[in-house]
Amino acid sequence: MLTIENLSVKVEDKLLLKNINLNMDNGEVHVLFGPNGAGKSTLINTILGNPKYKVVGGSIYFKGKDITDMPIYERAKLGIGISYQSPPSIPGVKLKDLLKIISKVDWEKIEKMAETLHFKDFLKRDVNVGFSGGEVKRSELLQLFAQNPEFIMFDEPDSGVDVENVKLIGTIINDILLEKTKKPADRKKSGLIITHMGHILKFINVDRAHVLYDGIISCSGSPDEILNTIIKYGYERCIACYQKRKH
Amino acid sequence: MLSKEKTLKIKKTAEKYRNVPAPHGEDIDLNEYKINKSDVIIDSLEDLDREYRSQLENIGINVKEENTSGSYLQINNEAVYSHVQSKIEMMPISEALKKYDLDEYYWNLVEIKDKYSARAALELTEGFFIRVPKGVKETIPLQTCLLIGKEHSSQNAHNIIIVEEGGELNIITGCTTSAHVKSGLHIGISEFYIKKNGKLTYTMVHDWGENVHVRPRTGVYIEENGVFINNYVITTPVKSVQSYPTIYCEGDNSKATLQTIVYGKGQSVIDLGSKVVLSGKYSSADIISRSIADDTSEIVARGLLVGKEEEIKGHLECKGLIISDESRLYAVPELDARKANIDLSHEAAVGKIAEDQLIYLMSRGLTEDEAVSLIIKGFLSIDLSGLPPNLAKSVERIMDMTLDSI
Ligand SMILES: Nc1ncnc2c1ncn2[C@@H]1O[C@H](COP(=O)(O)OP(=O)(O)OP(=O)(O)O)[C@@H](O)[C@H]1O
Ligand SMILES: [Mg+2]
């Protein structure tokens, strides 16, 4: 579904990603760990096609197509979606109106999802205007549900979210947005999740984990193993692997 | 009826200012614009011919007169229709001047001090007179419409609204030209009086021809606990608009909210602003403007809050988007504080469309053009929270209609 080859990315002359390689198959869900400032959001924004992030080397393939130079909305049309870490607000635009514009799903289904997310009262509010940290995340999930992309990137969907809502959000990501309750052969969705906390992963069936350290994928492997190492030793241990990879 | 003294005074002042240009806005040669009557005779708005009807509908007038408490239509300088379906009193100003002593209302809030006001005082001028009797609260909107039906003519209007104690009125006003009219001059004098505990919501949509000059002159007087909400919308090309209404929050606890929505298109030159004088204790005002400068338009967004009494509160918010490099947006927010214990503030911001908003919407699958137009619509949307539901619905419909044409 998604292949990244030797990707290097600059923002304002600062090299933020160095030689990234990543492959994700249909139906797979990967998680991306890494300390603050490692470049996780940068990677997601580059896959999305945010023009602020300049690809200075390497390529991105999505569904077999080279999308490295494709404009952002065409990637969205092709089936790439994102839940932002901190999305902007759009004053004057009602969430309901935006949902209707981007929607590829029946309105009744969206309303039902809004109910499940305890978010119906927000439909008449302006997009993200005055939303709390946790509300912003639910707004993002609802929009993704309406948009119905095949490949979804979640940038810290759990940050600022209370314990109960982490469960709700995690379950919706797993069961609905990423179809993880379906048989592997029936799954059409893939996902890439950034998180600092392991809690949400209790509800999401993750296939593989990567650690991004200073713009380099320093290690990849089983999610539980990597998470436990990080929890136990912090990112200290990653430094060694990082040094190794760097050369 | 006006007293002899008053009539004489008006005439004298007007003669004096007959040729005096206004301090702002292009100076217009009045001789170029003839003052015409109208040849339209109707018994209801539906009797109008199709061209007029669709023009009225474009600015939010309900031609079937459904869900309205009354309708007034002026074409050129003649009131062709004035009908109320409620306890509100409405008639052409020419009639009101015969029927009532209007010394204290006519040319009382608006000064004659330029050639435009002078013309309205000296030449043939019609307009509406609306009075809400004491305690009458009419939530269903009343609609008024001023239409220029003849090319290159001058429409002069003098409107008076009196909301008596405890009364409430919602007005939707549309000003337009018939489709074939491209040039003209509109001079509109408006004097509104909101008495103790009264409330007036006034929503005005302008849709003029691209060579029409517009010179409104407005004064509003608010007594104790009175509320005035004004919404002004212009999103279609016009030659020039220059207007600077003054609101006097005279009574204690009086409140004024002014929202102005401007989309400068084509070669429009638009100079708009409001001035609120806060002289009642605990009186308050919000001046909010949203302007977009596109094409080669020039927009001046003014605002002035004058704090003359203690415990007053005023906020001025002036936001602009500049889309075209050939356009100009000039924001002039001003505060004038005359007492120590007051709270006046302003914020002004002009910029281009925020990149992160664009990217956000495009990552949901909108093209750049679609994203821009959605952001613009949002930016120009009016806060309807202060309006009664009935009116909010109508204003929302009008806004949707005007913004859809962007
Ligand atoms: N527009 C920019 N200009 C300059 N530096 C930037 C810009 N965007 C990102 N950076 C820098 O790039 C680095 C990586 O940022 P990124 O947002 O990708 O980190 P992250 O891994 O998502 O961190 P966090 O866990 O804190 O969200 C940071 O040091 C950040 O300050
Ligand atoms: Mg981040």
Side-chain angles (χ1 to χ4, degrees), chain A residues 48 50-51 72-73 76-77 82 84 87-89 91-93 98 101-102 128 140 143 147, chain B residues 355-368 370 374-375 377-379 381 396:
Chain A
L48 183 75
N50 186 332
I72 192 161
Y73 71 91
K77 289 234 150 81
I82 180 171
Y84 283 92
S89 49
V93 176
L98 178 59
I101 291 169
I102 63 174
N128 300 336
E140 292 291 290
Q143 290 178 50
Q147 199 189 342
Chain B
E355 186 85 4
D356 58 342
Q357 292 182 345
L358 267 181
I359 288 169
Y360 186 66
L361 294 176
M362 292 197 302
S363 65
R364 300 280 185 247
L366 278 73
T367 63
E368 182 162 355
E370 289 166 342
L374 189 63
I375 291 166
K377 275 187 202 174
F379 177 79
S381 71
E396 202 176 347

mmCIF file of all heavy atoms in Angstrom, chain A residues 48 50-51 72-73 76-77 82 84 87-89 91-93 98 101-102 128 140 143 147, chain B residues 355-368 370 374-375 377-379 381 396:
data_model
loop_
_atom_site.group_PDB
_atom_site.id
_atom_site.type_symbol
_atom_site.label_atom_id
_atom_site.label_comp_id
_atom_site.label_asym_id
_atom_site.label_seq_id
_atom_site.Cartn_x
_atom_site.Cartn_y
_atom_site.Cartn_z
ATOM 1 N N LEU A 48 1.692 13.109 3.429
ATOM 2 C CA LEU A 48 0.458 13.810 3.084
ATOM 3 C C LEU A 48 0.644 14.762 1.909
ATOM 4 O O LEU A 48 -0.268 14.990 1.125
ATOM 5 C CB LEU A 48 0.008 14.614 4.312
ATOM 6 C CG LEU A 48 -1.290 15.381 4.211
ATOM 7 C CD1 LEU A 48 -2.442 14.399 4.306
ATOM 8 C CD2 LEU A 48 -1.395 16.415 5.307
ATOM 9 N N ASN A 50 2.221 17.963 2.415
ATOM 10 C CA ASN A 50 2.274 19.335 2.900
ATOM 11 C C ASN A 50 3.475 20.049 2.266
ATOM 12 O O ASN A 50 4.616 19.644 2.447
ATOM 13 C CB ASN A 50 2.418 19.314 4.429
ATOM 14 C CG ASN A 50 2.341 20.707 5.023
ATOM 15 O OD1 ASN A 50 2.681 21.692 4.366
ATOM 16 N ND2 ASN A 50 1.896 20.784 6.256
ATOM 17 N N PRO A 51 3.210 21.109 1.477
ATOM 18 C CA PRO A 51 4.286 21.749 0.699
ATOM 19 C C PRO A 51 5.374 22.406 1.558
ATOM 20 O O PRO A 51 6.432 22.759 1.034
ATOM 21 C CB PRO A 51 3.539 22.801 -0.136
ATOM 22 C CG PRO A 51 2.217 22.982 0.519
ATOM 23 C CD PRO A 51 1.904 21.719 1.242
ATOM 24 N N ILE A 72 -1.336 17.909 -2.602
ATOM 25 C CA ILE A 72 -1.946 17.367 -1.394
ATOM 26 C C ILE A 72 -3.367 16.838 -1.623
ATOM 27 O O ILE A 72 -3.719 15.748 -1.190
ATOM 28 C CB ILE A 72 -1.884 18.449 -0.293
ATOM 29 C CG1 ILE A 72 -2.215 17.904 1.071
ATOM 30 C CG2 ILE A 72 -2.754 19.627 -0.599
ATOM 31 C CD1 ILE A 72 -1.722 18.817 2.186
ATOM 32 N N TYR A 73 -4.202 17.592 -2.356
ATOM 33 C CA TYR A 73 -5.601 17.168 -2.469
ATOM 34 C C TYR A 73 -5.744 15.946 -3.371
ATOM 35 O O TYR A 73 -6.664 15.154 -3.227
ATOM 36 C CB TYR A 73 -6.513 18.314 -2.924
ATOM 37 C CG TYR A 73 -6.335 18.726 -4.355
ATOM 38 C CD1 TYR A 73 -7.097 18.140 -5.367
ATOM 39 C CD2 TYR A 73 -5.408 19.697 -4.697
ATOM 40 C CE1 TYR A 73 -6.923 18.517 -6.690
ATOM 41 C CE2 TYR A 73 -5.225 20.074 -6.004
ATOM 42 C CZ TYR A 73 -5.983 19.483 -6.990
ATOM 43 O OH TYR A 73 -5.809 19.844 -8.300
ATOM 44 N N ALA A 76 -5.155 13.073 -1.205
ATOM 45 C CA ALA A 76 -6.363 12.837 -0.418
ATOM 46 C C ALA A 76 -7.391 12.084 -1.261
ATOM 47 O O ALA A 76 -8.032 11.148 -0.797
ATOM 48 C CB ALA A 76 -6.937 14.169 0.078
ATOM 49 N N LYS A 77 -7.527 12.512 -2.515
ATOM 50 C CA LYS A 77 -8.483 11.859 -3.406
ATOM 51 C C LYS A 77 -8.093 10.402 -3.658
ATOM 52 O O LYS A 77 -8.948 9.539 -3.836
ATOM 53 C CB LYS A 77 -8.551 12.615 -4.747
ATOM 54 C CG LYS A 77 -9.239 13.962 -4.612
ATOM 55 C CD LYS A 77 -10.397 14.108 -5.594
ATOM 56 C CE LYS A 77 -11.493 15.007 -5.033
ATOM 57 N NZ LYS A 77 -11.222 16.446 -5.170
ATOM 58 N N ILE A 82 -5.555 11.945 7.218
ATOM 59 C CA ILE A 82 -4.755 12.265 8.401
ATOM 60 C C ILE A 82 -5.612 12.782 9.549
ATOM 61 O O ILE A 82 -6.598 13.488 9.343
ATOM 62 C CB ILE A 82 -3.659 13.316 8.051
ATOM 63 C CG1 ILE A 82 -2.806 13.653 9.294
ATOM 64 C CG2 ILE A 82 -4.292 14.575 7.481
ATOM 65 C CD1 ILE A 82 -1.591 14.500 8.991
ATOM 66 N N TYR A 84 -4.791 15.148 12.505
ATOM 67 C CA TYR A 84 -3.687 16.040 12.869
ATOM 68 C C TYR A 84 -3.399 16.045 14.367
ATOM 69 O O TYR A 84 -4.301 15.895 15.189
ATOM 70 C CB TYR A 84 -4.006 17.475 12.439
ATOM 71 C CG TYR A 84 -3.826 17.733 10.967
ATOM 72 C CD1 TYR A 84 -4.892 17.586 10.084
ATOM 73 C CD2 TYR A 84 -2.604 18.137 10.460
ATOM 74 C CE1 TYR A 84 -4.734 17.835 8.729
ATOM 75 C CE2 TYR A 84 -2.433 18.397 9.106
ATOM 76 C CZ TYR A 84 -3.501 18.238 8.248
ATOM 77 O OH TYR A 84 -3.348 18.485 6.913
ATOM 78 N N PRO A 87 -4.671 20.498 14.732
ATOM 79 C CA PRO A 87 -5.228 21.085 13.516
ATOM 80 C C PRO A 87 -5.588 22.557 13.722
ATOM 81 O O PRO A 87 -5.827 22.973 14.851
ATOM 82 C CB PRO A 87 -6.492 20.258 13.278
ATOM 83 C CG PRO A 87 -6.885 19.772 14.623
ATOM 84 C CD PRO A 87 -5.611 19.606 15.397
ATOM 85 N N PRO A 88 -5.623 23.319 12.631
ATOM 86 C CA PRO A 88 -6.046 24.715 12.764
ATOM 87 C C PRO A 88 -7.560 24.786 12.919
ATOM 88 O O PRO A 88 -8.257 23.809 12.641
ATOM 89 C CB PRO A 88 -5.635 25.319 11.416
ATOM 90 C CG PRO A 88 -5.717 24.181 10.457
ATOM 91 C CD PRO A 88 -5.333 22.961 11.235
ATOM 92 N N SER A 89 -8.067 25.910 13.379
ATOM 93 C CA SER A 89 -9.521 26.097 13.399
ATOM 94 C C SER A 89 -9.925 26.871 12.147
ATOM 95 O O SER A 89 -9.119 27.608 11.583
ATOM 96 C CB SER A 89 -9.936 26.838 14.660
ATOM 97 O OG SER A 89 -9.146 27.978 14.839
ATOM 98 N N PRO A 91 -12.684 29.390 11.371
ATOM 99 C CA PRO A 91 -13.800 30.192 11.866
ATOM 100 C C PRO A 91 -14.883 30.378 10.807
ATOM 101 O O PRO A 91 -14.569 30.595 9.637
ATOM 102 C CB PRO A 91 -13.160 31.538 12.220
ATOM 103 C CG PRO A 91 -11.708 31.272 12.351
ATOM 104 C CD PRO A 91 -11.401 30.118 11.448
ATOM 105 N N GLY A 92 -16.119 30.263 11.239
ATOM 106 C CA GLY A 92 -17.245 30.521 10.346
ATOM 107 C C GLY A 92 -17.689 29.308 9.544
ATOM 108 O O GLY A 92 -18.749 29.329 8.933
ATOM 109 N N VAL A 93 -16.872 28.254 9.529
ATOM 110 C CA VAL A 93 -17.271 27.050 8.792
ATOM 111 C C VAL A 93 -17.779 26.012 9.798
ATOM 112 O O VAL A 93 -17.049 25.578 10.680
ATOM 113 C CB VAL A 93 -16.087 26.472 7.987
ATOM 114 C CG1 VAL A 93 -16.488 25.178 7.301
ATOM 115 C CG2 VAL A 93 -15.601 27.488 6.970
ATOM 116 N N LEU A 98 -18.645 21.161 6.700
ATOM 117 C CA LEU A 98 -17.396 20.562 6.220
ATOM 118 C C LEU A 98 -17.565 19.064 6.011
ATOM 119 O O LEU A 98 -17.156 18.510 4.985
ATOM 120 C CB LEU A 98 -16.250 20.842 7.207
ATOM 121 C CG LEU A 98 -14.899 20.224 6.823
ATOM 122 C CD1 LEU A 98 -14.427 20.718 5.465
ATOM 123 C CD2 LEU A 98 -13.838 20.509 7.876
ATOM 124 N N ILE A 101 -19.267 18.340 2.846
ATOM 125 C CA ILE A 101 -18.449 18.583 1.661
ATOM 126 C C ILE A 101 -17.473 17.421 1.418
ATOM 127 O O ILE A 101 -17.291 16.981 0.292
ATOM 128 C CB ILE A 101 -17.669 19.914 1.802
ATOM 129 C CG1 ILE A 101 -18.648 21.096 1.753
ATOM 130 C CG2 ILE A 101 -16.638 20.070 0.684
ATOM 131 C CD1 ILE A 101 -18.024 22.425 2.138
ATOM 132 N N ILE A 102 -16.865 16.926 2.488
ATOM 133 C CA ILE A 102 -15.814 15.915 2.294
ATOM 134 C C ILE A 102 -16.357 14.493 2.290
ATOM 135 O O ILE A 102 -15.639 13.552 2.007
ATOM 136 C CB ILE A 102 -14.725 16.017 3.394
ATOM 137 C CG1 ILE A 102 -15.316 15.725 4.780
ATOM 138 C CG2 ILE A 102 -14.070 17.383 3.374
ATOM 139 C CD1 ILE A 102 -14.258 15.676 5.876
ATOM 140 N N ASN A 128 -13.259 23.173 14.865
ATOM 141 C CA ASN A 128 -12.151 23.265 15.831
ATOM 142 C C ASN A 128 -12.087 24.576 16.621
ATOM 143 O O ASN A 128 -11.167 24.759 17.411
ATOM 144 C CB ASN A 128 -10.787 23.036 15.157
ATOM 145 C CG ASN A 128 -10.693 21.660 14.512
ATOM 146 O OD1 ASN A 128 -11.404 20.743 14.915
ATOM 147 N ND2 ASN A 128 -9.860 21.521 13.518
ATOM 148 N N GLU A 140 -11.415 15.223 14.517
ATOM 149 C CA GLU A 140 -10.572 14.654 13.467
ATOM 150 C C GLU A 140 -11.062 13.262 13.056
ATOM 151 O O GLU A 140 -11.146 12.941 11.874
ATOM 152 C CB GLU A 140 -9.115 14.565 13.936
ATOM 153 C CG GLU A 140 -8.430 15.909 14.123
ATOM 154 C CD GLU A 140 -8.199 16.632 12.809
ATOM 155 O OE1 GLU A 140 -7.362 16.194 12.012
ATOM 156 O OE2 GLU A 140 -8.902 17.637 12.582
ATOM 157 N N GLN A 143 -14.230 13.478 10.994
ATOM 158 C CA GLN A 143 -13.930 13.899 9.623
ATOM 159 C C GLN A 143 -13.330 12.751 8.817
ATOM 160 O O GLN A 143 -13.676 12.552 7.645
ATOM 161 C CB GLN A 143 -12.972 15.090 9.626
ATOM 162 C CG GLN A 143 -13.612 16.371 10.138
ATOM 163 C CD GLN A 143 -12.620 17.517 10.175
ATOM 164 O OE1 GLN A 143 -11.935 17.780 9.196
ATOM 165 N NE2 GLN A 143 -12.532 18.197 11.300
ATOM 166 N N GLN A 147 -14.656 11.061 5.431
ATOM 167 C CA GLN A 147 -13.772 11.061 4.264
ATOM 168 C C GLN A 147 -13.478 9.637 3.776
ATOM 169 O O GLN A 147 -13.280 9.401 2.597
ATOM 170 C CB GLN A 147 -12.471 11.760 4.665
ATOM 171 C CG GLN A 147 -11.620 12.250 3.532
ATOM 172 C CD GLN A 147 -10.266 12.726 4.057
ATOM 173 O OE1 GLN A 147 -10.100 12.988 5.252
ATOM 174 N NE2 GLN A 147 -9.302 12.821 3.177
ATOM 175 N N GLU B 355 -2.131 29.604 5.484
ATOM 176 C CA GLU B 355 -1.643 28.416 4.797
ATOM 177 C C GLU B 355 -2.115 27.130 5.494
ATOM 178 O O GLU B 355 -2.526 26.164 4.841
ATOM 179 C CB GLU B 355 -0.110 28.481 4.788
ATOM 180 C CG GLU B 355 0.579 27.393 3.997
ATOM 181 C CD GLU B 355 0.704 27.730 2.522
ATOM 182 O OE1 GLU B 355 0.310 28.845 2.138
ATOM 183 O OE2 GLU B 355 1.172 26.876 1.761
ATOM 184 N N ASP B 356 -2.070 27.131 6.828
ATOM 185 C CA ASP B 356 -2.416 25.887 7.526
ATOM 186 C C ASP B 356 -3.908 25.543 7.367
ATOM 187 O O ASP B 356 -4.275 24.379 7.311
ATOM 188 C CB ASP B 356 -1.992 25.929 9.009
ATOM 189 C CG ASP B 356 -2.613 27.080 9.759
ATOM 190 O OD1 ASP B 356 -3.083 28.035 9.102
ATOM 191 O OD2 ASP B 356 -2.652 27.029 10.997
ATOM 192 N N GLN B 357 -4.754 26.558 7.241
ATOM 193 C CA GLN B 357 -6.175 26.283 6.985
ATOM 194 C C GLN B 357 -6.356 25.671 5.597
ATOM 195 O O GLN B 357 -7.124 24.718 5.415
ATOM 196 C CB GLN B 357 -6.991 27.571 7.068
ATOM 197 C CG GLN B 357 -7.069 28.172 8.462
ATOM 198 C CD GLN B 357 -7.933 29.413 8.493
ATOM 199 O OE1 GLN B 357 -8.258 29.996 7.459
ATOM 200 N NE2 GLN B 357 -8.330 29.825 9.688
ATOM 201 N N LEU B 358 -5.640 26.242 4.623
ATOM 202 C CA LEU B 358 -5.716 25.725 3.254
ATOM 203 C C LEU B 358 -5.280 24.262 3.196
ATOM 204 O O LEU B 358 -5.957 23.410 2.618
ATOM 205 C CB LEU B 358 -4.786 26.532 2.349
ATOM 206 C CG LEU B 358 -5.366 27.718 1.606
ATOM 207 C CD1 LEU B 358 -4.286 28.357 0.752
ATOM 208 C CD2 LEU B 358 -6.521 27.268 0.722
ATOM 209 N N ILE B 359 -4.126 23.982 3.820
ATOM 210 C CA ILE B 359 -3.586 22.622 3.789
ATOM 211 C C ILE B 359 -4.538 21.661 4.493
ATOM 212 O O ILE B 359 -4.784 20.550 4.026
ATOM 213 C CB ILE B 359 -2.184 22.602 4.428
ATOM 214 C CG1 ILE B 359 -1.215 23.286 3.463
ATOM 215 C CG2 ILE B 359 -1.738 21.187 4.753
ATOM 216 C CD1 ILE B 359 0.130 23.583 4.057
ATOM 217 N N TYR B 360 -5.090 22.132 5.591
ATOM 218 C CA TYR B 360 -6.035 21.308 6.345
ATOM 219 C C TYR B 360 -7.195 20.868 5.455
ATOM 220 O O TYR B 360 -7.526 19.681 5.365
ATOM 221 C CB TYR B 360 -6.561 22.113 7.535
ATOM 222 C CG TYR B 360 -7.440 21.353 8.493
ATOM 223 C CD1 TYR B 360 -6.923 20.319 9.259
ATOM 224 C CD2 TYR B 360 -8.783 21.682 8.661
ATOM 225 C CE1 TYR B 360 -7.721 19.632 10.166
ATOM 226 C CE2 TYR B 360 -9.586 21.010 9.563
ATOM 227 C CZ TYR B 360 -9.048 19.985 10.318
ATOM 228 O OH TYR B 360 -9.827 19.305 11.213
ATOM 229 N N LEU B 361 -7.788 21.819 4.775
ATOM 230 C CA LEU B 361 -8.938 21.487 3.929
ATOM 231 C C LEU B 361 -8.527 20.676 2.705
ATOM 232 O O LEU B 361 -9.242 19.764 2.292
ATOM 233 C CB LEU B 361 -9.668 22.760 3.506
ATOM 234 C CG LEU B 361 -10.338 23.521 4.650
ATOM 235 C CD1 LEU B 361 -10.957 24.813 4.149
ATOM 236 C CD2 LEU B 361 -11.406 22.656 5.321
ATOM 237 N N MET B 362 -7.370 20.985 2.145
ATOM 238 C CA MET B 362 -6.935 20.225 0.973
ATOM 239 C C MET B 362 -6.610 18.780 1.351
ATOM 240 O O MET B 362 -6.806 17.873 0.557
ATOM 241 C CB MET B 362 -5.736 20.903 0.311
ATOM 242 C CG MET B 362 -6.135 22.230 -0.322
ATOM 243 S SD MET B 362 -4.964 22.882 -1.529
ATOM 244 C CE MET B 362 -3.488 23.029 -0.640
ATOM 245 N N SER B 363 -6.146 18.595 2.577
ATOM 246 C CA SER B 363 -5.858 17.215 2.982
ATOM 247 C C SER B 363 -7.145 16.432 3.235
ATOM 248 O O SER B 363 -7.119 15.226 3.437
ATOM 249 C CB SER B 363 -4.954 17.193 4.212
ATOM 250 O OG SER B 363 -5.611 17.741 5.316
ATOM 251 N N ARG B 364 -8.280 17.131 3.216
ATOM 252 C CA ARG B 364 -9.568 16.431 3.270
ATOM 253 C C ARG B 364 -10.125 16.219 1.865
ATOM 254 O O ARG B 364 -11.271 15.825 1.697
ATOM 255 C CB ARG B 364 -10.571 17.215 4.104
ATOM 256 C CG ARG B 364 -10.146 17.452 5.542
ATOM 257 C CD ARG B 364 -10.402 16.235 6.416
ATOM 258 N NE ARG B 364 -10.102 16.486 7.805
ATOM 259 C CZ ARG B 364 -9.100 15.901 8.481
ATOM 260 N NH1 ARG B 364 -8.323 15.034 7.884
ATOM 261 N NH2 ARG B 364 -8.899 16.182 9.746
ATOM 262 N N GLY B 365 -9.348 16.615 0.863
ATOM 263 C CA GLY B 365 -9.762 16.345 -0.512
ATOM 264 C C GLY B 365 -10.311 17.529 -1.276
ATOM 265 O O GLY B 365 -10.745 17.392 -2.412
ATOM 266 N N LEU B 366 -10.298 18.724 -0.663
ATOM 267 C CA LEU B 366 -10.766 19.900 -1.395
ATOM 268 C C LEU B 366 -9.638 20.417 -2.282
ATOM 269 O O LEU B 366 -8.476 20.393 -1.893
ATOM 270 C CB LEU B 366 -11.180 21.017 -0.427
ATOM 271 C CG LEU B 366 -12.585 20.938 0.181
ATOM 272 C CD1 LEU B 366 -12.654 19.855 1.222
ATOM 273 C CD2 LEU B 366 -12.993 22.264 0.781
ATOM 274 N N THR B 367 -9.984 20.910 -3.471
ATOM 275 C CA THR B 367 -8.967 21.545 -4.298
ATOM 276 C C THR B 367 -8.633 22.890 -3.668
ATOM 277 O O THR B 367 -9.352 23.373 -2.794
ATOM 278 C CB THR B 367 -9.478 21.804 -5.724
ATOM 279 O OG1 THR B 367 -10.566 22.722 -5.630
ATOM 280 C CG2 THR B 367 -9.927 20.542 -6.401
ATOM 281 N N GLU B 368 -7.568 23.512 -4.152
ATOM 282 C CA GLU B 368 -7.173 24.789 -3.566
ATOM 283 C C GLU B 368 -8.299 25.815 -3.707
ATOM 284 O O GLU B 368 -8.625 26.527 -2.756
ATOM 285 C CB GLU B 368 -5.886 25.302 -4.227
ATOM 286 C CG GLU B 368 -5.426 26.596 -3.596
ATOM 287 C CD GLU B 368 -3.973 26.930 -3.897
ATOM 288 O OE1 GLU B 368 -3.289 26.113 -4.529
ATOM 289 O OE2 GLU B 368 -3.536 28.014 -3.477
ATOM 290 N N GLU B 370 -11.525 25.309 -4.006
ATOM 291 C CA GLU B 370 -12.635 24.979 -3.107
ATOM 292 C C GLU B 370 -12.307 25.363 -1.673
ATOM 293 O O GLU B 370 -13.155 25.888 -0.944
ATOM 294 C CB GLU B 370 -12.940 23.475 -3.172
ATOM 295 C CG GLU B 370 -13.580 23.036 -4.471
ATOM 296 C CD GLU B 370 -13.570 21.509 -4.668
ATOM 297 O OE1 GLU B 370 -12.787 20.812 -3.986
ATOM 298 O OE2 GLU B 370 -14.330 21.038 -5.508
ATOM 299 N N LEU B 374 -14.254 28.166 0.638
ATOM 300 C CA LEU B 374 -14.865 27.784 1.920
ATOM 301 C C LEU B 374 -14.331 28.654 3.069
ATOM 302 O O LEU B 374 -15.086 29.106 3.931
ATOM 303 C CB LEU B 374 -14.608 26.302 2.206
ATOM 304 C CG LEU B 374 -15.366 25.711 3.401
ATOM 305 C CD1 LEU B 374 -16.873 25.753 3.177
ATOM 306 C CD2 LEU B 374 -14.922 24.283 3.707
ATOM 307 N N ILE B 375 -13.033 28.904 3.043
ATOM 308 C CA ILE B 375 -12.425 29.743 4.089
ATOM 309 C C ILE B 375 -13.001 31.162 4.014
ATOM 310 O O ILE B 375 -13.321 31.776 5.029
ATOM 311 C CB ILE B 375 -10.884 29.768 3.946
ATOM 312 C CG1 ILE B 375 -10.317 28.386 4.289
ATOM 313 C CG2 ILE B 375 -10.260 30.825 4.855
ATOM 314 C CD1 ILE B 375 -8.873 28.174 3.881
ATOM 315 N N LYS B 377 -15.932 32.066 2.784
ATOM 316 C CA LYS B 377 -17.319 32.046 3.273
ATOM 317 C C LYS B 377 -17.355 32.047 4.793
ATOM 318 O O LYS B 377 -18.159 32.735 5.408
ATOM 319 C CB LYS B 377 -18.039 30.804 2.757
ATOM 320 C CG LYS B 377 -18.613 30.987 1.391
ATOM 321 C CD LYS B 377 -19.445 29.760 1.041
ATOM 322 C CE LYS B 377 -19.592 29.649 -0.448
ATOM 323 N NZ LYS B 377 -20.273 28.414 -0.840
ATOM 324 N N GLY B 378 -16.480 31.230 5.369
ATOM 325 C CA GLY B 378 -16.424 31.176 6.828
ATOM 326 C C GLY B 378 -16.010 32.506 7.416
ATOM 327 O O GLY B 378 -16.615 33.010 8.357
ATOM 328 N N PHE B 379 -15.016 33.096 6.792
ATOM 329 C CA PHE B 379 -14.485 34.368 7.268
ATOM 330 C C PHE B 379 -15.571 35.446 7.251
ATOM 331 O O PHE B 379 -15.651 36.286 8.134
ATOM 332 C CB PHE B 379 -13.320 34.778 6.369
ATOM 333 C CG PHE B 379 -12.708 36.105 6.700
ATOM 334 C CD1 PHE B 379 -11.817 36.222 7.755
ATOM 335 C CD2 PHE B 379 -13.021 37.239 5.961
ATOM 336 C CE1 PHE B 379 -11.251 37.449 8.065
ATOM 337 C CE2 PHE B 379 -12.462 38.463 6.262
ATOM 338 C CZ PHE B 379 -11.572 38.570 7.311
ATOM 339 N N SER B 381 -18.794 34.983 7.448
ATOM 340 C CA SER B 381 -20.095 34.627 8.021
ATOM 341 C C SER B 381 -20.397 35.489 9.243
ATOM 342 O O SER B 381 -19.513 35.889 9.979
ATOM 343 C CB SER B 381 -20.124 33.150 8.391
ATOM 344 O OG SER B 381 -19.310 32.947 9.509
ATOM 345 N N GLU B 396 -29.544 33.918 7.721
ATOM 346 C CA GLU B 396 -28.704 32.806 7.286
ATOM 347 C C GLU B 396 -28.963 32.490 5.813
ATOM 348 O O GLU B 396 -28.037 32.273 5.034
ATOM 349 C CB GLU B 396 -28.994 31.581 8.153
ATOM 350 C CG GLU B 396 -27.854 30.596 8.143
ATOM 351 C CD GLU B 396 -28.092 29.431 9.088
ATOM 352 O OE1 GLU B 396 -29.025 29.498 9.929
ATOM 353 O OE2 GLU B 396 -27.354 28.451 8.972
#
